[in-house]
Amino acid sequence: MAAPLRIQSDWAQALRKDEGEAWLSCHPPGKPTLYGNLTCQGIGQDGIPEVTASEGFIVNEINKKSIHISCPKENASSKFLAPCTTFPRIHAKSVTCLDISSGGGLGVSSSSDGSMKIWQASNGELRRVLEGHVFDVNCCRFFPSGLVVLSGGMDAQLKIWSAEDASCVVTFKGHKGGEREVGTESKMLLLAREDKKLQCLGLQSRQPVFLFIGSDAFNCCTFLSGFLLLAGTQDGNIYQLDVRNPRTPVQVMHRSGAPVLSLLSFRDGFIASQGDGSCFIVQQDLDYVIELTGADCDPVYKVATWEKQIYTCCRDGLVRRYQLSDL
């Protein structure tokens, strides 16, 4: 991957006033970091700021919620997207997981305060509180119907809930853990494990398809297609594997040493988030990376999408919503 570009987390607010400034940087691997800044030269009649970049950086395009920056020396280019909405009151502490229902109307999220809640995806308004786990809730996800929620907690329990009345329908006890994320595709089950192993099993046969050993604990995984998959590790590697030849990775992507916390297939590419607050979109038809901004070095734990909207949850306790039409 090209050298990652970084920008001040609140750049959109900072550049909306005359002579407002925001820092930016380029981090080429094995080379010194390049630092620069952006300066607002005024606000146009359309409400869009006129911004110039310091030496070594170029402003290619800007609107109210996005700015496209390049660093020609390192052949690096990123379009930064600010959130359109922030939901600060769903949880009191870090939001550790979230998902959006198939219809896009509801969100479900869990927090380090032990709570799990269902809320209106349009405005963050609380709809239901799901109570029953003894300790922290690690993960939560809607079933395809959007009416049922699956959750897993530190109490070694998996629970199935009704999103309509918040009742717990089924509880599975005794699960010992070890898997940090599970992915499925067609007839295969993918397990991201703490012991540096990525395991693929046949859903019907329950027999191993392959076992891949990575550089560190695997935190997350997702299928890109029937044969291609991604898996992210604690030391910042993103492995792309082909199940037909899993011994040798198709490629290994590395932007920083921060843990890769979330991976999600998206259009013809993927969305990834890391422990340093970065959250980015890679697409085959784009020669730049889309960076979702707002998290100020706080880990972005999970990403969910619905149509042109992207939701993230973060250690700072905020759920952020991004509108891709703002690009």
Side-chain angles (χ1 to χ4, degrees):
M1 298 183 72
L5 295 173
R6 307 285 191 218
I7 198 170
Q8 186 172 312
S9 62
D10 62 346
W11 66 269
Q13 291 79 23
L15 296 177
R16 287 198 60 78
K17 51 188 177 183
D18 283 343
E19 299 183 358
E21 291 188 344
W23 61 261
L24 71 159
S25 59
C26 180
H27 302 257
K31 299 180 183 179
T33 298
L34 304 175
Y35 295 97
N37 64 281
L38 302 169
T39 304
C40 176
Q41 305 294 344
I43 306 296
Q45 293 183 350
D46 54 4
I48 297 175
E50 298 175 7
V51 176
T52 57
S54 58
E55 184 178 356
F57 297 91
I58 296 174
V59 178
N60 300 300
E61 181 185 8
I62 184 170
N63 63 32
K64 291 181 179 180
K65 289 292 184 181
S66 72
I67 185 169
H68 186 187
I69 305 289
S70 295
C71 178
K73 180 180 179 181
E74 297 298 335
N75 195 30
S77 183
S78 290
K79 182 172 279 192
F80 298 94
L81 179 64
C84 63
T85 310
T86 300
F87 303 137
R89 299 177 181 174
I90 298 175
H91 296 281
K93 294 185 179 181
S94 300
V95 187
T96 54
C97 191
L98 91 165
D99 194 22
I100 303 298
S101 64
S102 56
L106 296 176
V108 62
S109 56
S110 60
S111 170
S112 59
D113 63 10
S115 64
M116 181 168 52
K117 300 178 180 180
I118 295 175
W119 35 274
Q120 198 72 31
S122 59
N123 57 19
E125 180 180 342
L126 183 64
R127 294 286 298 273
R128 299 282 186 270
V129 178
L130 307 180
E131 298 178 315
H133 283 288
V134 179
F135 303 114
D136 289 356
V137 180
N138 291 334
C139 57
C140 53
R141 182 175 295 180
F142 278 103
F143 277 60
S145 66
L147 302 175
V148 179
V149 172
L150 172 68
S151 67
M154 291 289 288
D155 54 7
Q157 296 186 78
L158 296 174
K159 290 180 176 289
I160 297 177
W161 311 78
S162 166
E164 296 178 303
D165 61 11
S167 62
C168 180
V169 182
V170 179
T171 298
F172 301 96
K173 298 182 179 180
H175 181 68
K176 295 182 180 180
E179 296 84 34
R180 295 189 173 183
E181 187 164 69
V182 176
T184 59
E185 174 68 28
S186 184
K187 299 179 181 180
M188 291 178 287
L189 176 69
L190 193 62
L191 304 176
R193 292 170 39 173
E194 296 178 356
D195 58 3
K196 302 184 181 182
K197 295 177 181 177
L198 183 71
Q199 186 173 16
C200 185
L201 303 173
L203 278 174
Q204 294 180 339
S205 66
R206 298 186 181 181
Q207 296 299 312
V209 177
F210 72 82
L211 182 67
F212 179 81
I213 299 177
S215 57
D216 205 341
F218 281 99
N219 291 328
C220 50
C221 56
T222 187
F223 278 95
L224 296 177
S225 66
F227 297 104
L228 291 176
L229 61 93
L230 292 177
T233 61
Q234 186 70 12
D235 60 358
N237 285 329
I238 300 176
Y239 290 90
Q240 183 177 1
L241 300 176
D242 188 322
V243 297
R244 296 166 295 187
N245 182 26
R247 292 186 177 183
T248 304
V250 176
Q251 62 175 322
V252 180
M253 294 161 274
H254 187 93
R255 283 169 46 105
S256 78
V260 182
L261 301 177
S262 177
L263 288 168
L264 182 66
S265 177
F266 183 71
R267 296 181 178 176
D268 61 350
F270 65 92
I271 307 174
S273 69
Q274 294 189 256
D276 58 3
S278 63
C279 186
F280 57 94
I281 305 173
V282 176
Q283 291 188 249
Q284 292 181 6
D285 61 342
L286 297 179
D287 59 359
Y288 57 84
V289 176
I290 299 173
E291 305 272 357
L292 306 182
T293 63
D296 189 6
C297 299
D298 283 301
V300 177
Y301 293 119
K302 199 72 175 178
V303 180
T305 63
W306 183 74
E307 294 188 345
K308 292 186 177 182
Q309 299 178 59
I310 300 175
Y311 295 77
T312 65
C313 64
C314 185
R315 187 177 65 182
D316 60 12
L318 301 180
V319 171
R320 294 178 173 88
R321 185 177 70 198
Y322 301 83
Q323 188 73 39
L324 290 183
S325 58
D326 289 335
L327 290 169

